[in-house]
Amino acid sequence: MVPHLITALTGPINELEQRILESMPAIERWFRLEWMEHTPPFYASVDIRNAGFKLAPVDTNLFPGGWNNLTDEMLPLAVQAAMAAIEKICPEARNLLIIPENHSRNTFYLSSIAQLVRIFNMAGLNVRVGSISPDVKKTTTIELPHGDKVVLEPVVRSRHRLGVKHFDPCTILLNNDLSAGPPGILEELYEQYLLPPLHAGWSVRRKSRHFQSYEEVAKRFGKMLGIDPWLINPLFTPVRGVDFNEDASIEQLATAVDATLAKVRRKYKEYGINEKPFAVVKADNGTYGMGIMTVRDAKELAGLNRKARNKMAVIKDGQPVHDVIVQEGVLTQERVHQAVAEPVVYMMDRYVVGGFYRIHAERGTDENLNAPGASFVPLAFQHGAQLPQPGARPGASAPNRFYMYGVVARVALVAASYELEATDPDAEVYD
């Protein structure tokens, strides 16, 4: 199940919410059966867009930061989920080492690490933070806003184990998305649990593979619910071998944008939607909102200036972009403080533990909000009625709406489990 929180949107979202609420027992059974067969990622966050006529995930992060944006009221849920996750993997676990991103001076990010330390401490583990950054050569204490602090220690590698001085963990929690590839120090750790696995990092992971898995899962989920899977699934087209400095590549990309927009127009016509379709071009690997642009007409690509091309050509850690996905743009009808917003749902193991709104006062309803200038507003618990109300009319109950967000986020989580199984280098392959 999911926590029941206040959401910003109060209008109805057509029949989809009603169908999900009426099907709650079937939905929960469906998830239960999926998790009997598949292992959920250790943790994840899912960016969701609510267009009013459809509700879909647009990104799934398997190394989520932003834990500091969850309210104190949500911590018991996260602690409980952490206990369940650790118990499943290593019941006798005593020591946990967190490996953060290398940009170790970002206080917003380090506040998220401090929150993770707090969660796993309360789950009954000794927790230390070990940096693999070459810049961290000695134990460094970084003071954070609100009185928190993070102690970064250089990692120490023995033959098949990783730790920090005088601390030998049985479990290592990666909060580093390995955009530049896994460093050797993290490889061949045969005696410790490494979570998430190395192949969850962006050196292996591809958005096209994730959304292909999501499309398959959404079809089965939609069939079970008796709905058109498009209502929860953003259409997409992968484009390989893109060079943003070559006109021929830009033409190839424009063709894919045209084809995607044509499919969306047909769907809009089918449902009587009067909005103008748009597409989002994204680097196939990568994070931090880099390598993303909104395209409303394929002709816009021909006019891309040098700055825009360069911005799309390189992502985090200087990694060049060769492959992209053209994803159906999903509008957001959410508003917080008059600014455009989108919900981000946080999960640990198979449990939804909370979320927040990403808001951006300078962006439109058809633009990427994961950009400089974004701010975060925690979702607050709904007081009074704490459970979804299946009999309530659509849009009448905030807990109902967040239940729906949690359902779509968990469908993305199932897709991520399929994706990780497909890319596991140690998985047995049967003919």
Side-chain angles (χ1 to χ4, degrees):
M1 294 295 284
V2 300
H4 305 297
L5 307 170
I6 296 169
T7 61
L9 197 69
T10 54
I13 184 174
N14 67 37
E15 301 84 36
L16 180 59
E17 183 173 349
Q18 192 73 51
R19 184 62 61 91
I20 284 175
L21 289 168
E22 288 170 352
S23 307
M24 199 185 299
I27 288 170
E28 295 306 325
R29 178 177 182 272
W30 186 87
F31 281 122
R32 196 163 59 245
L33 294 176
E34 286 295 323
W35 298 132
M36 285 171 70
E37 299 289 330
H38 305 281
T39 303
F42 187 80
Y43 54 10
S45 65
V46 178
D47 297 354
I48 290 175
R49 303 276 285 206
N50 186 347
F53 52 85
K54 80 179 286 178
L55 180 77
V58 293
D59 204 13
T60 300
N61 186 355
L62 298 184
F63 298 89
W67 290 93
N68 52 311
N69 293 314
L70 303 188
T71 65
D72 288 344
E73 295 167 290
M74 295 175 190
L75 281 187
L77 292 168
V79 170
Q80 208 170 11
M83 284 176 171
I86 290 290
E87 193 175 312
K88 199 161 63 178
I89 293 152
C90 181
E92 69 280 7
R94 179 180 297 161
N95 296 337
L96 176 79
L97 183 68
I98 298 177
I99 306 283
E101 291 281 359
N102 288 355
H103 51 73
S104 57
R105 299 293 170 175
N106 181 326
T107 57
F108 291 107
Y109 173 71
L110 288 174
S111 294
S112 172
I113 293 296
Q115 185 81 304
L116 279 175
V117 170
R118 192 175 296 119
I119 288 167
F120 286 101
N121 262 155
M122 289 191 283
L125 294 164
N126 302 311
V127 187
R128 304 271 276 271
V129 182
S131 177
I132 57 173
S133 169
D135 300 332
V136 179
K137 295 183 172 63
K138 62 180 182 178
T139 299
T140 308
T141 301
I142 301 172
E143 301 292 335
L144 302 174
H146 314 300
D148 275 342
K149 65 180 181 182
V150 167
V151 179
L152 287 175
E153 302 178 67
V155 295
V156 178
R157 175 74 192 246
S158 61
R159 190 157 175 238
H160 289 310
R161 295 185 76 84
L162 195 68
V164 294
K165 195 173 181 182
H166 306 312
F167 187 78
D168 183 28
C170 79
T171 306
I172 296 161
L173 179 63
L174 274 181
N175 199 252
N176 181 317
D177 64 25
L178 308 176
S179 291
I185 199 167
L186 292 178
E187 295 179 323
E188 298 179 0
L189 293 171
Y190 301 126
E191 299 172 1
Q192 292 164 304
Y193 296 97
L194 184 66
L195 306 165
L198 292 180
H199 65 277
W202 282 121
S203 55
V204 174
R205 193 170 178 234
R206 294 295 177 266
K207 291 179 184 176
S208 54
R209 190 181 285 118
H210 173 73
F211 282 103
Q212 182 183 355
S213 296
Y214 182 83
E215 189 173 286
E216 291 167 16
V217 175
K219 279 178 183 170
R220 287 197 295 106
F221 185 78
K223 187 175 180 183
M224 185 268 294
L225 269 191
I227 62 165
D228 179 352
W230 177 75
L231 295 172
I232 59 167
N233 179 38
L235 303 172
F236 79 98
T237 308
V239 186
R240 311 281 180 222
V242 175
D243 183 340
F244 281 93
N245 294 309
E246 290 286 336
D247 288 342
S249 265
I250 296 293
E251 282 175 29
Q252 177 194 6
L253 187 55
T255 302
V257 168
D258 247 347
T260 303
L261 288 175
K263 287 179 191 171
V264 178
R265 273 189 214 100
R266 282 197 292 273
K267 278 294 181 185
Y268 278 20
K269 188 176 179 185
E270 180 185 337
Y271 284 93
I273 296 162
N274 295 321
E275 302 288 351
K276 183 176 170 61
F278 66 101
V280 180
V281 178
K282 302 179 176 184
D284 201 9
N285 61 322
T287 184
Y288 284 86
M290 300 174 79
I292 297 177
M293 66 178 171
T294 297
V295 183
R296 296 163 190 85
D297 188 311
K299 295 188 184 75
E300 293 171 24
L301 291 167
L304 278 186
N305 60 31
R306 180 65 53 202
K307 184 181 176 184
R309 290 182 185 221
N310 290 343
K311 201 172 173 184
M312 286 297 296
V314 178
I315 52 169
K316 187 183 167 216
D317 293 340
Q319 296 300 302
V321 174
H322 300 300
D323 301 330
V324 300
I325 67 167
V326 177
Q327 190 177 62
E328 172 192 351
V330 182
L331 293 163
T332 176
Q333 299 296 348
E334 304 272 10
R335 294 287 183 285
V336 176
H337 309 318
Q338 282 76 56
V340 173
E342 65 189 10
V344 184
V345 176
Y346 274 63
M347 291 164 290
M348 197 172 283
D349 194 61
R350 59 197 175 100
Y351 305 102
V352 172
V353 297
F356 57 80
Y357 277 108
R358 180 186 288 118
I359 68 173
H360 205 305
E362 294 164 23
R363 294 279 168 126
T365 57
D366 62 351
E367 292 183 290
N368 168 41
L369 305 187
N370 189 6
S375 56
F376 308 97
V377 176
L379 283 156
F381 273 96
Q382 171 81 8
H383 295 291
Q386 290 288 309
L387 295 171
Q389 300 151 13
R393 64 183 174 79
S397 164
N400 284 356
R401 175 119 319 139
F402 195 81
Y403 176 74
M404 190 167 63
Y405 295 166
V407 166
V408 169
R410 285 183 290 163
V411 175
L413 195 69
V414 172
S417 73
Y418 282 44
E419 174 196 357
L420 289 178
E421 285 168 14
T423 55
D424 185 351
D426 298 322
E428 293 184 38
V429 178
Y430 299 98
D431 292 330

